[in-house]
Amino acid sequence: MTDTVVVQLDEDPSSRGDLTRQIREAILGAEFAPHQRLIEADLSERYDASRAAVRTALLNLANEGLVERVPNRGARVRAISVDEAVEIVEVRIGLETLCARKAAEHLTDADADGLRTLRDDIGAAVASGNLVEYSRLNQELDRRIRVLSRHATATQLLERLRAQSARHQFRLAFHPGRAAQSAPEHIAIIDAILSRDPDAAEAATRAHLTGIVDVLRGMD
């Protein structure tokens, strides 16, 4: 208890938030495997952080659904099954179609320029077969649409859901033939938003996510 009080007084709160981000990125980047134990002492040494800060970060990530607490064994990376990933995408359909509609309604000329550049980059990544870059651009498109939507509640919910299903999203990018199928779907979403057509943006987003559900159901 005394150690915790010292940390709360002496440690910059922003560093604790940064530690949560660092461990989150390590999990999403597959540096820690599903079900792998997250030992506080090891994480403290790896990130040069106090045990109390590590404990706080793990609690934050447990709240996000990325980490689970196991009785008498501490924390470990939570594994997301394909069935759960499907459920997550089904929930995302409602939220992402809402964000796409809002993005089309709120689009400015400056925002449109950025989307056109992203559209070109997505096409170039697929044409060159750079699936790692394509996956990154997909995430950037999702982030950009959330920002353009100006819908704080939907954004918060989506960020949590996406963190939980990140590994499956990465696998999807490398699924045989998936990039060739999904790239036109992403471009259709961008074009609908650029046209400032909320109905078309919603329909394109729904079609894309429904396709993801179908692919996930076919995965082991």
Side-chain angles (χ1 to χ4, degrees):
M1 188 67 172
T2 302
D3 290 343
T4 302
V5 172
V6 170
V7 169
Q8 289 175 339
L9 290 174
D10 295 343
E11 190 168 30
D12 181 357
S14 64
S15 68
R16 297 198 296 273
D18 185 64
L19 180 60
T20 300
R21 178 187 59 77
Q22 289 178 303
I23 300 176
R24 180 192 301 114
E25 290 178 353
I27 293 173
L28 299 183
E31 295 177 40
F32 299 118
H35 295 307
Q36 180 174 340
R37 288 186 63 200
L38 298 170
I39 301 171
E40 291 180 5
D42 293 346
L43 294 174
S44 179
E45 181 177 355
R46 172 172 175 156
Y47 294 105
D48 191 24
S50 70
R51 292 280 293 273
V54 169
R55 195 172 303 118
T56 298
L58 293 177
L59 286 172
N60 291 339
L61 294 170
N63 289 334
E64 293 180 14
L66 290 177
V67 169
E68 60 183 348
R69 311 292 296 189
V70 182
N72 303 317
R73 290 185 60 82
R76 70 180 183 184
V77 178
R78 192 167 80 87
I80 306 295
S81 68
V82 170
D83 286 343
E84 186 175 357
V86 167
E87 291 182 358
I88 289 171
V89 176
E90 289 173 338
V91 173
R92 281 173 47 200
I93 289 174
L95 295 170
E96 292 198 25
T97 53
L98 171 63
C99 286
R101 289 191 66 89
K102 295 294 185 180
E105 292 171 359
H106 295 312
L107 189 71
T108 66
D109 291 342
D111 295 330
D113 289 340
L115 274 183
R116 291 188 186 95
T117 299
L118 187 55
R119 185 188 194 280
D120 293 342
D121 290 343
I122 288 173
V126 173
S128 66
N130 190 342
L131 297 183
V132 173
E133 176 65 3
Y134 176 61
S135 180
R136 186 193 69 79
L137 291 169
N138 288 347
Q139 294 178 47
E140 172 59 20
L141 174 59
D142 293 337
R143 186 198 67 81
R144 191 83 59 90
I145 292 173
R146 294 196 299 271
V147 170
L148 295 177
S149 76
R150 305 179 192 174
H151 200 295
T153 300
T155 294
Q156 290 170 1
L157 292 171
L158 280 170
E159 287 176 350
R160 175 167 179 167
L161 290 171
R162 284 190 168 279
Q164 293 179 18
S165 59
R167 276 199 180 86
H168 291 289
Q169 290 171 324
F170 190 76
R171 286 179 64 194
L172 280 171
F174 287 85
H175 192 75
R178 180 58 192 166
Q181 178 182 352
S182 64
E185 295 171 353
H186 285 126
I187 289 173
I189 295 170
I190 293 173
D191 287 345
I193 294 174
L194 288 173
S195 298
R196 295 175 170 84
D197 186 336
D199 290 339
E202 176 180 344
T205 302
R206 185 178 299 278
H208 169 62
L209 291 171
T210 300
I212 289 178
V213 169
D214 292 340
V215 175
L216 282 172
R217 283 177 172 154
M219 296 171 68
D220 293 334

